[in-house]
Amino acid sequence: MYMQTCVMGLLLVALLPVLFSIADAVDRSNFKTCDQSAFCKRQRDVKPGQSPYRALLETMELSEARLTLQLINDNNKVRLLLELYRLQGNMTRVRINELKPLRPRYEVPDVLIQEPPTESLLLLERDEHGMVLSLGVDDQRLIINARPFRLDIMDGPKVLLSLNSRGLLVFEHLRLRKDTISHKISSTVGSMWDKIKSVFSSKTEADAEGVENDVEQNEAEKVEEVEEVTEEEEQPGMWEETFKSHSDAKPSGPSSISLDFSFPGVDHVYGIPEHADSLKLRTTDGGEPYRLYNLDVFQYELYNPMALYGAVPVLLSHTAERTMGLFWLNAAETWVDISSSRAVQGGGDAPQTDVRWISESGIIDVFIMLGPRPTDVISQYASLTGTQSFPPLSALAYHQCRWNYNDQEDVQAVDNGFDEYDIPYDFIWLDIEHTDGKRYFTWDPNKFSQPREMLQNLKDKKRKMVTIVDPHIKVDSSYKIHKEIRSKDFYIKNKDGGDYEGWCWPGNAGYPDFTNPEMRAWWATMFAYDQYEGTMDNLYTWNDMNEPSVFNGPEVTMHKDALHGGWEHRDVHNLYGFYVQMATAQGLIQRSGGVERPFVLTRAFFAGSQRYGAVWTGDNAAEWGHLKMSIPMCLSLGLVGISFCGADVGGFFKTPSPELLVRWYQAGAYQPFFRAHAHLDTPRREPWLFGPENTALIREAVRQRYTLLPYWYQLFYNAHRTGQPVMRPLWLEYPGDPATFAIEDEFLLGKDLLVHPVTDEGSHGVTAFLPGEGEVWYDVHTYKKHQGNLNLYIPVTMNSIPVFQRGGSIITRKERVRRSSSCMEDDPYTLYVAVNAQGTAEGELYIDDGHTFNYEKQNQFIHRRLTFTEGSLSSSNLSPDSQFSTASWVEKVIFIGVPKPSAATLRTADGAESPLEFEFDPASELLALRKPGVNAGADWTIHLR
Amino acid sequence: MHFHIAVAVIIWAALFVESRKIRGISISYKRFYKERKSFLCIDGSKLIPFEQVNDDYCDCADGSDEPGTAACPSGRFYCTNLGFRPHYIQSSRVNDGICDCCDGSDEYSSPALCQKTCRNLGQQERAELEERMRMLSEGLLMKRQLVEEGADVWREKQAELTDLQKVAEDLQVRLEYLRRRKSDAGAQKEKALTAAQHPTGQEGLRSQIRAELPLDDHGQSLQDTDRLGDKDEGVEPRTDSAAPREESPNEAEVRGGDPSEDDPDVKAAVEAAESAVSDLNKAEEAHQRLQMEIRELEERLAIDYGPEREFLFLLGRCFQITAYEYSYTLCPFNQVTQKSQMGTEVLLGKWDAWDGPPEDLYGVMKYDRGEPCWQGPTRSTHVQLVCGTDSTLRWVKEPSKCHYAMELQTPAACQPQQPSRRGVHNEL
């Protein structure tokens, strides 16, 4: 939302120098460069080509699906344990941890939806240099090279991917501090070990024996290590680090990890959001690496690898032949270096992309998704972290937000404005000012004294509301939420063991420990109607500031040495926002007794966040560049599973010109999460405030969104079932065409709609690439037909939104746009059948109640396949096991690109045939069938003759 | 009562029985929907079978074939609203589960259970209308009075201005004299000083100096100074300075006082020069003050107080309203301020201009150039004026940060009723 403006004078004075030293661009000095982040600098200083790691082949153990092997660092003799798994669905998992870490190292929980099912590994060959394992599929093999340690994944003679081929595996082992103070501490730790040991030995003989042996073995090896380990040189920042005025105590010392991956033949890599940068990742040679560290960045810059609000450590590689992915499961601060080179391979000059991951703590746990098609990689990743949650239908409609709608009267006036100007909307949003002094779960007693009445008024118009609930909790002994969290000891602790406190909107605030499952369970109960007073079932939730944002913390976030139970904040940082949204979504589910689907918007996210709701691209600005950037940002998120993405329409900071506002509505209407939002300091910008012409343009854009809601809903259902993104880069559907690989000014919705928003001021035309040799595309407004695989110049006026329907597709619309999506529930459908060169088309129709889990729990839905072939359009059941009845019927069928028929007949399931009236426009080959009138859930066929 | 309604319904039903199919049209449109074989879209674009009127499928581009359903995107539905005002709603509001017509006729095929509220609404509206009319006529009477008062005030202000301008002219003359006197006295002082430095044979010069000394009267009024001027320089005597002449102690001293051990002539010359400067300064200050007063008055008189100066009475008055933790004060044609409970006062705008739309320019006042907002614009306030029988602030809001809006109710805003737009609107 915002890193700006007043909370209270005191706070302002305290923060002014930090937050506002530059008025209208990010203050980079608030955020670390790699050089300023000690572990990143240490790691990046390691040069390639001198890997000290060697695989101890004799330690190899192979069970059915798991191979383990020790690695040794020949410089310091520290041993690592490598685990290899072959996973179902053509994936390989590589885990590397210390063989005997001084203390356990953090392993990310709760992100994988299950322990990934494995498949058997087969040892094919073995000699003193290494071994070869079969990866089952085709000719795919995994080669382990012993000295230096290196892994290669091969497909036949071709190397798909190599690990540590540049020798950048660096695993900083946990160690004791050398100076006297830490010796004292370590001797305490040592004696604790003795105690633990003695506890074990006092157990029954049988139990103790095994443990004893283990412990003894440990001890023995420790001694051995102590003898072997050559002390490494201390480097600055290993045991303490200071950034600006903030110091990080680092009691555990250095713990970072790094590994390199090489993709021979690859020129295009994507993913690792969130960055305000191009879709295709750029080389970071000579510049900053891409950074993954959830941060509240005030007025972020475009085309910049700086960290933003969310982090998904997933990278995709793509060539015309194969798509692959890497999922680096680590929640600590992470930097990713990308370099591309051209290598001589097989006599030719071939590209290569090298990727290097660096994380501050935890272990190496990486999933290699081997594709081969883009959709395979996406399915593979979805099988690990789950798919997009299926939102209530209304959440796909239009959202009206502003910081802030001032009071109930204001809410009502805005609500009435939409009716007066005949613009549909489903959700009105309340930002932080609606609370009683920034105490979330409360209402301002003056401005929102009757929240139920307000919600009921909205409900009477079938509309809904979202209130903001942030995770920072005002430290105030009379505030119920704070009191309970404190009494249950649920707050994150500072390094000295007291409750961690930082500044945020309410002033001094505590931060609940969302990594604690008990805390999350308690938080969820706070959304019950009797706990969150004044709420009703049409109220949903927005989690902001959950990076977490700490105004007076290092880099505007939490100190890394803060404690979440036994773990440091350093270990879990990028997970915090993920857990906040998880617990909130759980709360919304629980309050309805598990019946209703939740809707929760979050700003911070991690891998797996797609399971809990929507994300938006944070505090953007009312600038053309930000409008443009909304496309690659949401495309990148879609590639890593997060389909429900949007940018603040109009731009959050600053004031858009009417032209920019209109263009943003037009673009936003075709992006998954469609919400207008505005900063407190900006003038009002409800859609009717810019004169009748602009109002009409905005109305038209929003209406286009509403007519397409059936298609959006079906896309989200599909995303929920398969993980395939709703908003797709062109290369995903046309993976063999290199012309699509870097396109980021247009996108596909599903595979059937291509959208090229106008994102330039004063534009008179755009050039859209219509992909696919042999494909045809139809302008959805003029029905004009265009051949695929060409660049098309499209002249535009202010009301143009260039959108094309793919020939060969059937898209369902509801053309009776009403006040809100719920008002349209029983309305009839119009089918748009756009034929391809072969004269065929197909599509789907999905219908359920739009808001409950009954589709899942009771199979209550309709899922139909629509096919048009040889002059017959028919609707058939895709899911015979499900049941649902709808009042909706088929109002009209529009065929695009067909010759004029002599007759059209409808044949219903009972065999009855009736003629259908139609109109035909020869100029655009447009055929409109009048009122088939069949129920949308029924079997039927229409024959054209 | 119920009986009456029943009868009314039966009569109504009987009247309209022939076109019962045609839902959603007004009587004036009935002629387009005469039951025939076919129906011509009202825009003439298409001829369709009559069965296709209101068959829940949109055939006509103008939506005229579906006045009673939601089928046409640009269609409209006529709520008869017996007992209240009939009106049109968008077709999209037919059977959407939300009651829009007070007779419930828009939800004829929806699960919504609509209360029939037309009678109540009608009564309410009539009562409100009566109240509005009463208020309007009362308001207009009061406005008449205000206009008259305004005219008086205007005349008074004009007279005040004339007076001030006259005084200013006189003062201007006086200033010229004083400037001259100052330069003369300065010259005398120089002479006396020179004489004192050459004690022999200068008596004649000294007495000359003494004789020429302008006489001083510290702290005397303008008129007094004038009188001194009259005597010494023979300036045109002022007609209004008829007060009897008094001798000031200083005069006595200068003339009859014992010369001090220093040269008395020099002392007198210096004192005279000083007093000339001081007099001039005072007169200049007075002149500046007067000019300022004149400017202010001229500015006020230059303000547009409405076609009949009906808003003039608001000048010099202030109105207060409290909203949440702040109290707001509007001083029309001057400024708007906001005061917090802690007592800090912030300027929300200074009078700028009338800012209503061309057809109602005097409907909105604009105050701008208030205190700048931190990281934001300078504060401004728009005041909407509405007709009422007293002058009071009705509400205040801050729709965007630092942009305030308030409503001032006042008889001055009452307008004689326009030929009304009441009743059915939006007919083709």
Side-chain angles (χ1 to χ4, degrees), chain A residues 202-223:
Chain A
S202 68
K203 287 199 174 178
T204 59
E205 282 300 315
D207 262 8
E209 213 166 337
V211 178
E212 191 86 5
N213 285 343
D214 271 4
V215 174
E216 266 170 22
Q217 205 181 328
N218 280 356
E219 288 293 295
E221 280 183 18
K222 249 191 202 160
V223 173

Side-chain angles (χ1 to χ4, degrees), chain A residues 399-540:
Chain A
H399 299 259
Q400 181 67 33
C401 186
R402 170 176 181 82
W403 178 24
N404 213 109
Y405 287 121
N406 297 334
D407 48 28
Q408 286 173 214
E409 210 184 309
D410 198 0
V411 168
Q412 191 174 357
V414 172
D415 181 67
N416 288 337
F418 277 93
D419 287 345
E420 187 180 334
Y421 293 94
D422 199 21
I423 300 170
Y425 91 96
D426 271 57
F427 279 83
I428 187 163
W429 293 52
L430 294 181
D431 209 323
I432 52 173
E433 312 297 331
H434 83 278
T435 58
D436 180 7
K438 318 295 185 298
R439 293 170 186 86
Y440 305 105
F441 301 100
T442 70
W443 303 86
D444 183 298
N446 295 314
K447 297 169 181 170
F448 294 92
S449 59
Q450 304 297 329
R452 272 229 174 80
E453 187 187 302
M454 171 178 65
L455 288 164
Q456 186 61 52
N457 289 341
L458 290 170
K459 196 171 181 175
D460 289 345
K461 288 198 189 162
K462 304 197 176 185
R463 288 175 178 150
K464 301 173 171 68
M465 176 172 263
V466 168
T467 52
I468 196 164
V469 176
D470 289 353
H472 50 258
I473 302 299
K474 186 176 176 73
V475 175
D476 169 4
S477 55
S478 59
Y479 174 31
K480 181 184 89 172
I481 300 287
H482 166 72
K483 270 192 304 192
E484 287 206 30
I485 295 173
R486 180 157 280 182
S487 73
K488 292 177 192 303
D489 203 21
F490 281 157
Y491 276 126
I492 294 169
K493 302 285 181 271
N494 60 36
K495 68 178 189 328
D496 305 315
D499 283 351
Y500 180 92
E501 286 181 5
W503 285 93
C504 209
W505 298 124
N508 206 25
Y511 293 77
D513 184 2
F514 281 89
T515 67
N516 175 354
E518 286 169 44
M519 157 60 208
R520 295 199 299 274
W522 172 83
W523 178 266
T525 64
M526 289 299 104
F527 290 88
Y529 299 122
D530 58 348
Q531 290 291 332
Y532 189 171
E533 283 174 32
T535 62
M536 301 199 330
D537 57 1
N538 63 336
L539 181 76
Y540 296 81

Side-chain angles (χ1 to χ4, degrees), chain A residues 654-830:
Chain A
K654 304 185 181 174
T655 301
S657 65
E659 183 189 356
L660 175 57
L661 186 65
V662 167
R663 290 300 188 200
W664 213 316
Y665 268 98
Q666 293 174 336
Y670 287 90
Q671 291 176 6
F673 176 57
F674 182 25
R675 181 187 74 153
H677 188 30
H679 190 282
L680 185 69
D681 286 343
T682 62
R684 297 291 280 235
R685 54 170 102 135
E686 285 71 46
W688 50 87
L689 294 176
F690 304 92
E693 275 176 37
N694 291 313
T695 305
L697 292 168
I698 293 171
R699 177 189 300 121
E700 174 55 23
V702 179
R703 287 177 65 97
Q704 288 186 24
R705 171 61 164 230
Y706 275 71
T707 61
L708 269 174
L709 283 174
Y711 183 62
W712 281 103
Y713 199 48
Q714 174 211 320
L715 290 179
F716 267 88
Y717 179 68
N718 189 46
H720 174 59
R721 289 201 326 167
T722 68
Q724 297 303 321
V726 167
M727 179 174 168
R728 302 175 187 170
L730 267 60
W731 66 262
L732 206 64
E733 293 297 332
Y734 300 89
D737 182 358
T740 64
F741 293 178
I743 291 179
E744 61 177 16
D745 56 356
E746 63 184 53
F747 54 89
L748 293 162
L749 293 178
K751 60 184 181 359
D752 298 336
L753 279 187
L754 183 144
V755 186
H756 189 113
V758 180
T759 58
D760 283 306
E761 187 168 18
S763 180
H764 296 293
V766 297
T767 301
F769 179 68
L770 302 179
E773 187 68 54
E775 203 89 271
V776 288
W777 294 90
Y778 299 92
D779 185 312
V780 301
H781 309 295
T782 64
Y783 306 110
K784 196 162 181 247
K785 183 175 175 178
H786 303 282
Q787 295 303 319
N789 198 23
L790 59 74
N791 283 303
L792 178 70
Y793 179 79
I794 309 149
V796 298
T797 60
M798 267 318 289
N799 57 26
S800 309
I801 315 177
V803 179
F804 299 86
Q805 181 175 348
R806 190 177 58 81
S809 68
I810 300 174
I811 284 180
T812 50
R813 285 189 170 88
K814 280 190 175 180
E815 300 201 309
R816 303 182 180 187
V817 176
R818 304 198 191 237
R819 260 180 288 219
S820 72
S821 68
S822 309
C823 293
M824 297 162 64
E825 186 181 350
D826 293 339
D827 280 345
Y829 291 92
T830 296

Side-chain angles (χ1 to χ4, degrees), chain A residues 208-397:
Chain A
E209 213 166 337
V211 178
E212 191 86 5
N213 285 343
D214 271 4
V215 174
E216 266 170 22
Q217 205 181 328
N218 280 356
E219 288 293 295
E221 280 183 18
K222 249 191 202 160
V223 173
E224 187 190 349
E225 271 173 42
V226 170
E227 286 170 357
E228 275 187 37
V229 169
T230 0
E231 291 287 348
E232 280 170 295
E233 218 176 294
E234 291 267 317
Q235 289 181 51
M238 275 185 163
W239 294 94
E240 195 172 16
E241 185 173 349
T242 305
F243 178 66
K244 300 193 115 176
S245 59
H246 304 281
S247 79
D248 174 1
K250 291 194 172 178
S252 304
S255 59
S256 72
I257 53 173
S258 159
L259 182 58
D260 65 275
F261 301 81
S262 294
F263 294 90
V266 168
D267 215 2
H268 291 80
V269 287
Y270 307 91
I272 53 169
E274 181 179 46
H275 301 100
D277 210 337
S278 54
L279 175 65
K280 173 191 186 301
L281 298 174
R282 295 178 294 156
T283 172
T284 59
D285 290 338
E288 285 291 296
Y290 285 95
R291 188 182 189 203
L292 294 172
Y293 190 57
N294 295 356
L295 291 175
D296 179 357
V297 181
F298 177 67
Q299 296 193 346
Y300 58 76
E301 264 178 47
L302 305 181
Y303 303 103
N304 189 311
M306 282 173 72
L308 285 181
Y309 315 94
V312 185
V314 173
L315 177 138
L316 279 72
S317 73
H318 178 69
T319 65
E321 292 76 37
R322 183 185 277 269
T323 310
M324 292 186 287
L326 292 178
F327 171 29
W328 176 267
L329 181 50
N330 187 298
E333 179 184 344
T334 296
W335 300 78
V336 185
D337 257 323
I338 301 198
S339 57
S340 61
S341 55
R342 306 203 76 84
V344 179
Q345 201 186 42
D349 180 36
Q352 171 161 324
T353 297
D354 297 311
V355 179
R356 177 192 193 180
W357 300 75
I358 302 168
S359 291
E360 186 175 14
S361 67
I363 64 164
I364 292 174
D365 190 0
V366 58
F367 297 81
I368 300 162
M369 300 170 279
L370 292 168
R373 293 170 304 166
T375 48
D376 296 327
V377 174
I378 282 164
S379 305
Q380 285 154 6
Y381 178 64
S383 75
L384 298 173
T385 66
T387 60
Q388 177 65 52
S389 65
F390 190 30
L393 172 59
S394 55
L396 301 178

Side-chain angles (χ1 to χ4, degrees), chain A residues 4-6 12 16 20 23 298 402 404 406-407 409-410 418-422 444 446-447 460-462 680-684 703 815-819 822-823 827 889 891-892 917 919 928-931, chain B residues 46 48-49 51-53 55-59 65-66 69-74 90-100 106-107 111 324-325 373-377 395 397-403:
Chain A
Q4 210 204 7
T5 309
C6 50
L12 288 184
L16 221 64
F20 309 111
F298 177 67
R402 170 176 181 82
N404 213 109
N406 297 334
D407 48 28
E409 210 184 309
D410 198 0
F418 277 93
D419 287 345
E420 187 180 334
Y421 293 94
D422 199 21
D444 183 298
N446 295 314
K447 297 169 181 170
D460 289 345
K461 288 198 189 162
K462 304 197 176 185
L680 185 69
D681 286 343
T682 62
R684 297 291 280 235
R703 287 177 65 97
E815 300 201 309
R816 303 182 180 187
V817 176
R818 304 198 191 237
R819 260 180 288 219
S822 309
C823 293
D827 280 345
W889 46 284
E891 175 174 33
K892 197 190 277 192
E917 282 178 46
E919 286 178 29
L929 301 188
R930 186 183 193 281
K931 210 179 177 189
Chain B
K46 202 170 171 185
I48 59 169
E51 307 88 77
Q52 291 185 7
V53 171
D55 71 339
D56 207 10
Y57 183 89
C58 190
D59 292 291
D65 62 317
E66 297 294 318
T69 75
C72 291
S74 56
Q90 288 100 324
S91 286
S92 64
R93 295 181 189 175
V94 174
N95 291 327
D96 65 349
I98 300 164
C99 306
D100 292 284
D106 58 320
E107 296 299 312
Y324 306 128
E325 64 267 44
C373 274
W374 183 72
Q375 288 252 317
W395 49 255
K397 290 192 262 206
E398 189 184 356
S400 306
K401 197 176 157 207
C402 303
H403 294 289

